[in-house]
Amino acid sequence: PSTGQSSCLDADAGYYVDSTEAISQTACSLGTYQPSTAQSSCLDADVGHYVDSTGSSTQTACLIGTYQPSTGQSSCLDADAGYYVDSTGSNSQTECAVGTYQPSTGQSSCLDSDVGHYVDSTGSSTQTACSLGTYQPLTAQSSCLDSDVGHYVDSTGSSTQTACLIGTYQPSTGQSSCLDAAAGYYVDSTQATSQTACSIGTYQPSTAQSSCLDADVGHYVDSTGSSTQTACL
């Protein structure tokens, strides 16, 4: 840059000179760097790296939770919701696996689905509550379990199933309630999968009962599953 000199100056690290008879050096632009002196150009930042200032002699690795798939960039990209980046200098993001999710951007890991919830696809940003009739006692699951026979689930997002009470039963799986024992029938235990018909000589006029009634004196019952007694003629 000065007159009357006996030599020229090498371009500094972070700078370059790309023509002869130069009177100045040029700073490397954003996204580029130059670690050596006396160079005629700058280097693009590698994938997984960035340069966010001019005149830089170094590039910087993307932090955990960020990535950069392109060269010559001045910043990194946050991992999308449903994705994560768990190492520095990454050129890609990774989908959350089945059973996990991530609602936020720029994260280094995914979250396990909670009990009572599931995630059935990769790259998910949300978890889903188990529907009525289903439950899930474990974390990080891809589906829910149908309630067993003799049981029910009457709320969403449940981690447990409930046994049918005495007087009720449930012969099917995946149900949200139990069935009352019909008139003429009874259920005398919990977790029942069927109702029992009142035997001959007994009856039951009400539903959801745990036993039958003996026919009164002067009355009889001559069939099973009866809801009434008959007066003697």
Side-chain angles (χ1 to χ4, degrees), residues 137-220:
L138 304 177
T139 61
Q141 300 302 303
S142 61
S143 63
C144 294
L145 307 172
D146 284 343
S147 60
D148 297 329
V149 292
H151 295 76
Y152 69 99
V153 178
D154 62 356
S155 61
T156 59
S158 181
S159 61
T160 58
Q161 59 180 342
T162 304
C164 293
L165 299 176
I166 288 175
T168 69
Y169 70 105
Q170 182 48 260
S172 302
T173 60
Q175 301 302 304
S176 60
S177 63
C178 294
L179 305 172
D180 287 343
Y185 292 78
Y186 70 99
V187 177
D188 61 357
S189 63
T190 60
Q191 305 180 35
T193 61
S194 62
Q195 59 183 344
T196 305
C198 292
S199 59
I200 289 175
T202 69
Y203 72 106
Q204 180 48 261
S206 302
T207 60
Q209 300 302 303
S210 61
S211 62
C212 295
L213 306 172
D214 287 341
D216 296 330
V217 292
H219 294 74
Y220 69 99

Side-chain angles (χ1 to χ4, degrees), residues 64 95 121 130 136 140:
I64 287 176
E95 283 186 319
S121 60
C130 293
Q136 180 49 261

Side-chain angles (χ1 to χ4, degrees), residues 18-228:
D18 61 356
S19 62
T20 60
E21 303 179 16
I23 60 173
S24 63
Q25 59 182 347
T26 304
C28 292
S29 59
L30 295 176
T32 68
Y33 71 107
Q34 181 49 260
S36 302
T37 60
Q39 299 301 304
S40 61
S41 63
C42 295
L43 306 173
D44 284 343
D46 297 329
V47 293
H49 295 74
Y50 69 100
V51 178
D52 61 357
S53 61
T54 58
S56 180
S57 61
T58 59
Q59 60 179 342
T60 304
C62 292
L63 298 176
I64 287 176
T66 70
Y67 71 106
Q68 182 49 259
S70 303
T71 60
Q73 300 303 304
S74 61
S75 63
C76 295
L77 305 173
D78 284 343
D80 296 329
Y83 291 76
Y84 69 99
V85 178
D86 61 357
S87 60
T88 60
S90 180
N91 63 5
S92 63
Q93 58 182 344
T94 304
E95 283 186 319
C96 291
V98 168
T100 69
Y101 71 107
Q102 180 49 259
S104 303
T105 59
Q107 301 302 303
S108 61
S109 63
C110 295
L111 305 173
D112 288 343
S113 60
D114 297 328
V115 294
H117 295 74
Y118 69 99
V119 179
D120 62 357
S121 60
T122 59
S124 181
S125 61
T126 58
Q127 60 180 344
T128 304
C130 293
S131 58
L132 295 176
T134 69
Y135 71 107
Q136 180 49 261
L138 304 177
T139 61
Q141 300 302 303
S142 61
S143 63
C144 294
L145 307 172
D146 284 343
S147 60
D148 297 329
V149 292
H151 295 76
Y152 69 99
V153 178
D154 62 356
S155 61
T156 59
S158 181
S159 61
T160 58
Q161 59 180 342
T162 304
C164 293
L165 299 176
I166 288 175
T168 69
Y169 70 105
Q170 182 48 260
S172 302
T173 60
Q175 301 302 304
S176 60
S177 63
C178 294
L179 305 172
D180 287 343
Y185 292 78
Y186 70 99
V187 177
D188 61 357
S189 63
T190 60
Q191 305 180 35
T193 61
S194 62
Q195 59 183 344
T196 305
C198 292
S199 59
I200 289 175
T202 69
Y203 72 106
Q204 180 48 261
S206 302
T207 60
Q209 300 302 303
S210 61
S211 62
C212 295
L213 306 172
D214 287 341
D216 296 330
V217 292
H219 294 74
Y220 69 99
V221 178
D222 61 356
S223 62
T224 60
S226 179
S227 61
T228 60

